């Protein structure tokens, strides 16, 4: 029986994707998708954007995102038509809020005459009121019990795979899934050679040791040991990161004690990062943006994850992507339960790594296995 509930916005169910697929909206020519955050957050949203593009092929899709989103979409093909940079606003984009800039943003967006606004940015406590200010004819998204209602919404429960959550939201806009995970292709080949003078032609391993949450970071010493072992196996190793991660990357390169290992952290623009990742045999990283980007580019990856983050952000397949999980459930400093996360659970002040116990040997085995599969034609 069809559910004509308030959360369905009175629409009928017409099929099943990740969840119910509801009736499409009529007359949709301009769509806005709200997803702030970092590089990984964009990768989580792209499958839903692809689904919306397929459901509404005549529509222009505007991503309401951040500068890093604009940078990556400028150098890759994607279903996004344009990017509008979000103003700094509580719960939407961190930073000092400028009310004049916020007002100008909404004036500009309302002038576009949006037909559909889709919220893929968390539970909606802040993002749903933000979305409603866009003035779109139709609104779809997620919501916690304390969040403002949209026309159609699914309940936000923290432990759900983020790309699949976004696809469930897209289903409420009448869009069936096309891809389950992000897929990106560089718009042009960037001439970036990551080889050293004495290592050109050797297969490349790229390491990204950073993560937004310090608790998701494998210790630098572990990465250094891995880099040294990869170099001993004949690989070139490039350690990547942004400017804030330069000292971390330098520490790893120095600890590896090999001329085949070097840091390029802070020295690459987005096109060069894409080119470097795309040229790698394997990319190794924590649950972080560059690892998600490498996956979207079709590059094999090895990820070091806290178990809870696998639920929300782990790759779905294992032919090209391997995971090494830490099953820690409490903070190693104070013992607080770290599995209770989301809007209401307290976060202790400690940043001790939750993935420190992941051994190097297993990660190295997967690097060698994936690289070998690529050399024998196993890589797509």
């Amino acid at each position: 029986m069809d559910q004509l509930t308030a959360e369905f916005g009175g629409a009928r169910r017409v099929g099943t994707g990740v969840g119910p697929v509801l009736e499409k909206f009529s007359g949709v020519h301009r769509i806005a998708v709200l997803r702030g955050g970092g590089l990984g957050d964009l990768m989580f949203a792209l499958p839903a954007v692809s689904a919306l593009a397929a459901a509404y092929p005549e529509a222009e899709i505007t991503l309401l995102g951040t500068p890093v989103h604009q940078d990556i979409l400028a150098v890759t093909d994607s279903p996004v038509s344009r990017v509008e940079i979000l103003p700094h606003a509580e719960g939407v984009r961190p930073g000092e809020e400028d009310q004049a800039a916020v007002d100008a943003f909404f004036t500009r967006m309302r002038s576009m005459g949006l037909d559909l606004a889709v919220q893929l940015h968390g539970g909606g406590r802040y993002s749903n009121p933000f979305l409603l200010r866009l003035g779109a004819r139709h609104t779809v998204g997620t919501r916690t019990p304390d969040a403002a209602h949209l026309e159609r919404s699914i309940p936000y429960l923290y432990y759900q795979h983020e790309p699949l959550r976004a696809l469930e939201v897209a289903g409420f806009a009448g869009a069936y899934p096309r891809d389950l995970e992000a897929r990106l292709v560089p718009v042009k080949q960037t001439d970036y050679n990551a080889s050293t003078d004495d290592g050109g032609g050797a297969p490349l391993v790229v390491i990204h040791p950073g993560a937004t949450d310090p608790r998701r970071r494998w210790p630098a010493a572990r990465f250094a040991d891995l880099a040294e072992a990869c170099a001993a196996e004949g690989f070139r190793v490039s350690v990547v990161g942004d400017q804030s991660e330069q000292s971390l990357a330098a520490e790893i390169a120095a600890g590896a004690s090999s001329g085949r290992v070097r840091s390029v952290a802070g020295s690459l623009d987005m096109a060069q990062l894409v080119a470097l990742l795309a040229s790698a045999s394997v990319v190794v990283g924590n649950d972080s943006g560059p690892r998600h980007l490498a996956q979207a580019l079709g590059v094999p990856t090895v990820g070091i994850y806290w178990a809870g983050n696998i639920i929300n952000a782990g790759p779905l397949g294992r032919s090209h992507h391997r995971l090494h999980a830490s099953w820690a459930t409490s903070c190693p400093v104070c013992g607080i339960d770290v599995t209770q996360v989301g809007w209401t659970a307290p976060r202790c002040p400690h940043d001790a790594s939750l993935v420190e116990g992941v051994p190097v040997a297993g990660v190295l085995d997967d690097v060698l296995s994936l690289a070998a599969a690529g050399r024998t034609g196993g890589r797509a």
Side-chain angles (χ1 to χ4, degrees):
M1 185 174 70
D2 291 323
Q3 291 179 275
L4 303 181
T5 67
E7 297 300 320
F8 276 40
R12 294 185 180 276
R13 178 173 180 160
V14 297
T16 301
V18 172
V21 177
L22 306 185
E23 295 170 309
K24 288 173 57 177
F25 298 109
S26 61
V28 173
H29 302 289
R30 295 179 179 83
I31 301 173
V33 176
L34 171 60
R35 181 71 206 216
L39 193 53
D41 297 303
L42 174 61
M43 299 302 110
F44 301 154
L46 284 177
V49 178
S50 295
L52 291 166
Y56 300 98
E58 303 302 319
E60 177 185 76
I61 300 179
T62 298
L63 174 71
L64 310 183
T66 58
V68 69
H69 298 168
Q70 187 173 61
D71 290 345
I72 188 62
L73 294 176
V75 297
T76 56
D77 283 325
S78 80
V80 175
S81 306
R82 56 187 291 195
V83 179
E84 285 282 345
I85 301 299
L86 289 164
H88 296 293
E90 185 176 9
V92 174
R93 185 182 171 204
E96 184 175 353
E97 187 169 323
D98 180 339
Q99 192 57 51
V102 172
D103 292 341
F105 173 84
F106 283 113
T107 297
R108 184 169 68 255
M109 295 308 300
R110 285 193 295 268
S111 72
M112 292 174 59
L114 294 170
D115 300 302
L116 171 62
V118 181
Q119 190 275 100
L120 303 179
H121 188 92
R125 178 182 297 175
Y126 299 103
S127 50
N128 283 1
F130 189 96
L131 193 84
L132 291 168
R133 286 189 65 182
L134 300 173
R137 290 193 298 116
H138 301 289
T139 56
V140 179
T142 51
R143 65 178 297 271
T144 52
D146 62 343
H149 285 268
L150 304 177
E151 183 177 352
R152 301 177 186 176
S153 60
I154 68 170
Y156 180 91
L157 303 172
Y158 181 81
Y159 283 120
Q160 182 179 5
H161 194 259
E162 290 289 350
L164 299 186
R165 188 201 308 276
L167 283 170
E168 189 172 1
V169 172
F172 270 45
Y176 287 89
R178 304 280 288 192
D179 292 316
L180 298 181
E181 296 175 300
R183 302 284 181 262
L184 288 174
V185 177
V187 294
K188 64 178 181 178
Q189 295 298 318
T190 299
D191 184 17
Y192 178 74
N193 187 355
S195 66
T196 58
D197 291 340
D198 60 354
L204 173 68
V205 171
V206 173
I207 288 176
H208 179 245
T212 304
D213 188 334
R215 297 175 299 175
R216 298 203 308 262
R217 296 176 189 166
W218 208 30
R222 298 278 200 279
F223 276 117
D225 288 345
L226 176 68
E228 185 171 7
C230 289
E233 292 285 345
F235 292 94
R236 293 173 290 136
V237 181
S238 288
V239 187
V240 300
D242 60 24
Q243 291 185 343
S244 71
E245 296 163 336
Q246 284 180 305
S247 61
L248 174 61
E251 178 185 351
I252 291 166
S257 301
S258 172
R260 288 176 171 267
V261 180
R262 66 170 183 159
S263 169
V264 292
S267 65
L268 307 180
D269 62 25
M270 190 59 74
Q272 290 172 327
L273 176 62
V274 166
L276 179 62
L277 294 175
S279 67
S281 294
V282 183
V283 172
V284 184
N286 306 307
D287 172 19
S288 64
R291 196 221 64 82
H292 296 299
L293 175 57
Q295 178 183 326
L297 293 168
V299 180
T301 70
V302 181
I304 296 97
Y305 275 73
W306 174 62
N309 295 131
I310 294 175
I311 298 172
N312 289 66
L316 297 177
R318 294 296 176 267
S319 57
H320 288 159
H321 307 289
R322 307 289 169 77
L323 292 177
H324 292 264
S326 165
W327 299 96
T329 59
S330 60
C331 171
V333 178
C334 68
I336 193 172
D337 183 358
V338 295
T339 68
Q340 301 303 305
V341 291
W343 297 110
T344 58
R347 192 244 201 250
C348 73
H350 306 116
D351 289 333
S353 172
L354 296 176
V355 296
E356 182 176 4
V358 172
V360 173
V363 177
L364 177 62
D365 286 346
D366 277 339
V367 170
L368 299 178
S369 173
L370 290 170
R375 287 195 295 269
T376 59
R379 178 173 166 185

